[in-house]
Amino acid sequence: MRWFIAVASVLSITTCLTAADGRRSLADKHGPAGVMGDHLHDKGEWMVEYKYMNMYMEDNRIGEREVSDSAAIGPAGGSPGIVVDGTQTNSGASPTDMTMEMHMAHIMYGMTDDVTMYTMIMMPSLTMDHIRGDMNPAGRGTTFRTHNSGFGDMSLGALLRLYESRSTDFILNLGCSLPTGDIYRESTAPTGGRVSQPLPYPMRLGSGTFNARPGFTWKRYGEWWSTGIQVQTDVPIGRNYRGYSVSDEVRYNSWTSVLLTDWLSVSLRGEHIWRTDYDGEDNDTPDGVISTNVESFRGGKWYNLGFGAQMILKKSYLSTELISTIEQDLDGIQLETDFAVVASWSRAF
Ligand SMILES: [Cu+2]
């Protein structure tokens, strides 16, 4: 009997160990594509990733209420533009829709089994369509498009595993971003070539500040499922050279992934985003001209649902997610977020 117990316990310990080792390398080894900083790499292991995101925004909202494009520029011949929360705006134009594309190059390296360093280079490509308002020299009701692209704010940091068990990881993200993205470009498109104006806040490529981005992730692996919770922040430090700072941001994510096979999984994710309004002010962006110049029209709350799939194909890891914004409450008047798609290819070696 004693022999039997000894052999059985050795066997069960070995199967536990192999199950645990294998469990972190199946299709759900990373969180859904829209989540970052959720996994570590073994000592000496590199990971390269290319990630693409496309976020689409159409129609304006005041708080939770949708407003039409013509309502957003106010009645013709009346007082120019509209007044929202006591601020007169949109006399020159109102945004009608926006496409926010982001190309991301991500490198991770396992310094030790519990510390992974990472850096991410961002290349945003921003396109916004508008309708002109009463005070625009190019004429009310006509439309124009602005575009901006280039380097965004590069992020880097370290992921530290604070706790590990056979099925659980607790990871601290000590991250930050550098002000590598340009925050001042001019365009004559709004006035049909007549006057050059700086692009408004959401059309700028970076924050202009060093940002602290601390966060943490808790992850648990079951036999055929895994689940995670992440709190991630983005906090600008001080103000940029134009005299303002972008929103403080907090993201709360929770997700569950289900393995269909060892190399294919699907995921469901809920995301809350809170953003404050901007602080300070860029003096060359008058609030009366367009709502995207208004510092107090930048904050809000968003609730997103993400439907994802993850796949191991030979040595590549493929991940994609469709993210639908199902609730949002915006400060002032802003474009509402409709949906986003994220797709990623990565490889570890
Ligand atoms: Cu990685």
Side-chain angles (χ1 to χ4, degrees):
M1 191 60 192
R2 238 188 295 164
W3 276 107
F4 175 77
I5 291 169
V7 170
S9 52
V10 166
L11 273 178
S12 66
I13 286 167
T14 4
T15 42
C16 280
L17 286 177
T18 36
D21 285 352
R23 191 58 193 87
R24 283 173 171 80
S25 61
L26 303 183
D28 61 347
K29 63 181 176 174
H30 299 179
V35 172
M36 272 166 267
D38 66 285
H39 67 271
L40 296 179
H41 288 275
D42 293 340
K43 185 178 181 196
E45 187 177 64
W46 289 87
M47 186 199 82
V48 289
E49 177 181 32
Y50 166 73
K51 193 176 270 192
Y52 172 79
M53 189 189 77
N54 190 328
M55 183 186 277
Y56 188 67
M57 308 161 99
E58 186 177 11
D59 292 326
N60 286 276
R61 248 180 214 232
I62 297 174
E64 296 183 88
R65 179 171 58 91
E66 217 171 80
V67 291
S68 69
D69 293 346
S70 57
I73 53 171
S79 58
I82 55 167
V83 177
V84 182
D85 298 343
T87 302
Q88 183 274 324
T89 192
N90 281 352
S91 66
S94 168
T96 55
D97 60 81
M98 180 179 189
T99 305
M100 236 187 87
E101 282 179 283
M102 192 75 84
H103 301 274
M104 292 165 264
H106 188 193
I107 298 171
M108 301 177 83
Y109 176 70
M111 296 285 288
T112 73
D113 282 343
D114 292 320
V115 179
T116 288
M117 308 295 291
Y118 67 90
T119 181
M120 195 165 211
I121 292 166
M122 318 287 273
M123 302 277 286
S125 175
L126 313 172
T127 308
M128 195 182 271
D129 291 318
H130 305 75
I131 182 169
R132 290 193 179 95
D134 253 357
M135 301 293 276
N136 197 310
R140 179 192 169 89
T142 54
T143 60
F144 69 94
R145 168 173 283 189
T146 54
H147 180 77
N148 196 8
S149 62
F151 280 103
D153 289 348
M154 183 178 159
S155 73
L156 54 100
L159 299 167
L160 314 172
R161 177 152 42 209
L162 298 186
Y163 173 80
E164 178 182 26
S165 76
R166 198 171 67 81
S167 59
T168 311
D169 282 322
F170 186 73
I171 301 167
L172 178 68
N173 183 357
L174 291 178
C176 67
S177 72
L178 313 180
T180 47
D182 190 82
I183 59 165
Y184 191 87
R185 277 183 192 175
E186 297 195 1
S187 169
T188 59
T191 55
R194 289 166 176 84
V195 189
S196 189
Q197 296 174 337
L199 288 171
Y201 296 128
M203 289 301 292
R204 299 181 176 193
L205 303 176
S207 65
T209 49
F210 289 90
N211 292 16
R213 291 181 170 170
F216 66 82
T217 307
W218 174 87
K219 252 174 131 175
R220 183 178 172 87
Y221 293 92
E223 206 176 316
W224 48 269
W225 54 270
S226 58
T227 188
I229 290 173
Q230 183 181 74
V231 176
Q232 182 59 55
T233 61
D234 187 1
V235 182
I237 298 166
R239 290 190 183 161
N240 59 38
Y241 78 95
R242 298 294 310 169
Y244 70 95
S245 63
V246 302
S247 309
D248 295 351
E249 181 180 283
V250 177
R251 290 172 182 261
Y252 172 78
N253 271 289
S254 57
W255 68 89
T256 296
S257 304
V258 171
L259 286 169
L260 302 179
T261 69
D262 283 357
W263 51 270
L264 180 67
S265 62
V266 289
S267 63
L268 180 66
R269 173 168 74 99
E271 177 178 53
H272 286 272
I273 305 175
W274 295 270
R275 279 190 203 119
T276 64
D277 292 323
Y278 283 16
D279 281 327
E281 164 163 47
D282 182 336
N283 289 320
D284 290 346
T285 57
D287 290 358
V289 173
I290 187 165
S291 56
T292 44
N293 278 348
V294 183
E295 296 77 21
S296 60
F297 292 179
R298 302 303 310 145
K301 291 178 231 148
W302 291 259
Y303 184 65
N304 300 325
L305 268 189
F307 306 89
Q310 302 81 33
M311 186 191 226
I312 297 172
L313 191 65
K314 297 198 170 157
K315 292 194 167 163
S316 293
Y317 186 72
L318 303 168
S319 178
T320 184
E321 200 177 23
L322 174 69
I323 302 155
S324 173
T325 301
I326 55 172
E327 260 185 72
Q328 52 199 313
D329 187 355
L330 312 178
D331 292 351
I333 180 168
Q334 294 182 51
L335 284 178
E336 65 175 48
T337 306
D338 296 312
F339 64 88
V341 258
V342 187
S344 150
W345 168 91
S346 70
R347 188 174 169 161
F349 53 90

